[in-house]
Amino acid sequence: MARGDLTDTQWARLEPLLPMGAKPGRPPVWADARVAA
């Protein structure tokens, strides 16, 4: 196990404390439709 790796038990304890994003995945490439071409 590397220095930054967490065990499943450690992750289970930390996961509820982490902030949740609006939705999973990458944002759209053109998030703002007003971008000038």
Side-chain angles (χ1 to χ4, degrees):
M1 185 179 333
R3 184 176 126 188
D5 292 346
L6 296 174
T7 65
D8 289 340
T9 304
Q10 292 169 326
W11 180 250
R13 290 187 65 168
L14 289 173
E15 191 173 16
L17 304 174
L18 298 175
M20 294 297 293
K23 61 181 180 178
R26 296 179 65 180
V29 175
W30 300 108
D32 189 353
R34 296 173 289 168
V35 174

